């Protein structure tokens, strides 16, 4: 029974990994100096009735969220043994499940987004905030559950206290593993990678294999305009193409998801129970995918790194649209 249970857990986790592993933004290009449900009690208190555009809105109770974090770490997941680590959250996407309308949406958050990131103290408790890229949220904590909790708290804070119900994080190696297990992913190269990989010439059609897939979804140094916005566009393209490869792989091998789950198990961290994952898997399989969206903003060169400045009004409008309902 236990072996079947473990297989079921990993299978359900893998479903989420497969859906979004394809667009992981893993590995940072900089030198660096399981999650509480609801985005943390301090964030939960801000999620209440609001006034927007002269109307009153209440939080929707028919929404469930699930956070996907891509971590710039190779190998199996390991704890730093300290309250700080060097693993940034370079890929941050929130699944939003609308149980009334039977739809789900992906909110893809730019890792360069500037905000007041929650900081953890020596005892693992919140010790204030620091204005920096949201990617740094994961560097507070050991790099495992506490870092995922802090990243989820950062996402919740960015969205005005919207609860983040569960999370999963995956490391860099997951990209090449999943990519190759579905037979590679074909893309029309959107940016010129010739300085990095001579096969990845802009406009050419290439079936990405191994680390080449990781290069395509993560690269920005000496690639195109070197912005994270361009990289996010490649991730969305890769996600669509990966889905096609997965469908073909499944037709050839109905056990492909089991195989992938076994291969990715040591590269992930999640706080989700068997029931949670079973429910989320049902949502993904039966609900309509409404789309992939990103909070609007402008990316500029900061003092040291790229900084994505969110359009606060556009963000507020998006949050109201997806997480609130008008009080008549």
């Amino acid at each position: 029974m236990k072996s079947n249970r473990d297989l079921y857990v990993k299978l359900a986790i893998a479903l989420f990994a497969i859906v979004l592993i394809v667009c992981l933004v893993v590995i940072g290009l900089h030198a660096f100096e399981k999650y509480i449900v609801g985005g943390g009690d301090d964030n939960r208190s801000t999620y209440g009735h609001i006034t927007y555009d002269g109307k009153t809105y209440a939080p929707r109770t028919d929404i469930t969220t699930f956070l996907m974090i891509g971590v710039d770490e190779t190998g199996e997941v390991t704890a730093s043994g300290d309250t700080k680590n060097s693993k940034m959250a370079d890929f941050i996407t929130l699944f939003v499940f609308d149980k009334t309308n039977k739809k789900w949406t992906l909110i893809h958050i730019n890792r360069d987004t500037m905000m007041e990131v929650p900081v953890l103290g020596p005892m693992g408790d919140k010790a204030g905030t620091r204005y920096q890229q949201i990617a740094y949220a994961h560097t507070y904590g050991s790099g495992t559950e506490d870092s995922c909790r802090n990243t989820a708290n950062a996402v919740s804070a960015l969205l005005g206290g919207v609860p983040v119900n569960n999370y999963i994080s995956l490391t860099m190696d997951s990209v090449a593993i999943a990519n190759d297990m579905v037979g590679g992913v074909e893309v029309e190269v959107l940016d010129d990678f010739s300085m990095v990989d001579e096969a990845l010439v802009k406009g050419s059609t290439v079936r990405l294999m191994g680390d080449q897939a990781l290069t395509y979804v993560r690269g920005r140094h000496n690639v195109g305009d070197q912005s994270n916005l361009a990289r996010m566009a490649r991730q969305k393209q890769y996600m669509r193409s990966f889905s096609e490869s997965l469908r073909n792989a499944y037709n050839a091998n109905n056990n492909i998801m089991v195989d992938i789950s076994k291969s990715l198990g040591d590269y992930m961290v999640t706080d989700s129970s068997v029931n949670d994952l079973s429910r989320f898997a049902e949502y993904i399989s039966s609900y309509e995918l409404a789309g992939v969206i990103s909070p609007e903003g402008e990316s500029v060169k900061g003092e040291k790194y790229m900084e994505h400045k969110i359009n606060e009004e556009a963000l507020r409008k998006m949050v109201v649209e997806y997480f609130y309902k008008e009080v008549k």
Side-chain angles (χ1 to χ4, degrees):
M1 281 294 292
K2 185 177 187 300
S3 61
N4 289 337
R5 175 187 171 91
D6 291 342
L7 179 59
Y8 180 70
V9 173
K10 287 196 173 185
L11 178 57
I13 291 173
L15 177 58
F16 288 97
I18 293 167
V19 171
L20 272 180
I21 193 69
V22 296
C23 54
L24 283 175
V25 182
V26 283
I27 202 171
L29 300 173
H30 318 312
F32 310 128
E33 302 178 349
K34 291 183 173 180
Y35 173 62
I36 300 174
V37 174
D41 291 340
D42 47 353
N43 287 329
R44 185 195 297 273
S45 64
T46 66
Y47 188 57
H49 283 61
I50 62 171
T51 300
Y52 177 74
D53 198 22
K55 299 176 182 178
T56 301
Y57 292 84
R60 291 181 59 177
T61 58
D62 58 345
I63 297 293
T64 295
T65 59
F66 183 90
L67 182 66
M68 178 82 168
I69 308 166
V71 182
D72 65 334
E73 177 184 19
T74 57
E76 299 178 1
V77 175
T78 57
S80 67
D82 201 351
T83 57
K84 200 81 163 63
N85 71 89
S86 61
K87 306 173 184 69
M88 299 178 76
D90 273 357
F91 170 79
I92 306 170
T93 289
L94 188 69
F95 290 78
V96 181
F97 299 110
D98 180 341
K99 293 178 282 187
T100 296
N101 297 306
K102 309 300 183 186
K103 295 182 178 182
W104 59 289
T105 302
L106 301 178
I107 299 179
H108 193 182
I109 298 172
N110 193 322
R111 51 88 64 213
D112 293 336
T113 297
M114 300 298 293
M115 65 169 293
E116 291 292 338
V117 173
V119 175
L120 300 181
M123 303 303 293
D125 54 327
K126 186 175 178 180
T129 64
R130 180 172 297 167
Y131 186 70
Q132 57 190 162
Q133 296 169 330
I134 194 172
Y136 281 93
H138 194 272
T139 66
Y140 300 103
S142 65
T144 56
E145 288 86 353
D146 49 356
S147 296
C148 290
R149 285 197 300 269
N150 200 55
T151 304
N153 281 335
V155 170
S156 177
L158 178 70
L159 300 179
V162 167
V164 177
N165 299 113
N166 295 91
Y167 70 75
I168 184 173
S169 71
L170 290 140
T171 65
M172 181 189 309
D173 291 331
S174 302
V175 177
I177 292 172
N179 182 91
D180 288 7
M181 292 189 74
V182 299
V185 174
E186 186 172 279
V187 298
E188 181 179 334
V189 181
L190 297 181
D191 295 303
D192 185 16
F193 282 79
S194 58
M195 291 185 66
V196 181
D197 186 327
E198 60 183 15
L200 299 180
V201 178
K202 183 175 181 178
S204 62
T205 299
V206 177
R207 178 164 293 276
L208 303 171
M209 296 300 298
D211 289 340
Q212 194 177 51
L214 182 61
T215 297
Y216 190 72
V217 299
R218 84 177 188 198
R220 64 174 173 174
H221 184 61
N222 291 326
V223 176
D225 63 4
Q226 304 190 61
S227 74
N228 195 49
L229 293 176
R231 183 164 63 172
M232 290 171 70
R234 294 196 305 273
Q235 293 156 15
K236 293 175 183 177
Q237 175 210 31
Y238 183 84
M239 178 170 62
R240 290 190 294 269
S241 298
F242 183 93
S243 298
E244 290 301 316
S245 293
L246 175 60
R247 183 178 295 109
N248 293 334
Y250 180 79
N251 290 336
N253 173 19
N254 290 344
N255 291 319
I256 185 64
M257 289 178 62
V258 176
D259 296 341
I260 293 177
S261 70
K262 291 178 180 179
S263 298
L264 295 183
D266 293 328
Y267 302 90
M268 63 177 70
V269 177
T270 187
D271 68 339
S272 303
S273 68
V274 173
N275 289 337
D276 291 331
L277 294 169
S278 177
R279 186 173 69 255
F280 297 155
E282 182 179 349
Y283 294 157
I284 289 179
S285 62
S286 62
Y287 287 10
E288 175 188 353
L289 175 59
V292 181
I293 61 175
S294 299
E296 295 179 16
E298 180 184 10
S299 291
V300 298
K301 183 67 171 65
E303 186 176 329
K304 297 179 68 176
Y305 310 126
M306 292 299 296
E307 299 179 354
H308 188 69
K309 305 296 181 65
I310 287 287
N311 181 319
E312 295 292 345
E313 177 56 30
L315 177 64
R316 184 171 174 80
K317 181 179 180 180
M318 183 195 78
V319 170
V320 170
E321 178 181 353
Y322 286 94
F323 299 101
Y324 286 85
K325 61 181 179 181
E326 184 181 352
V327 177
K328 301 295 186 180

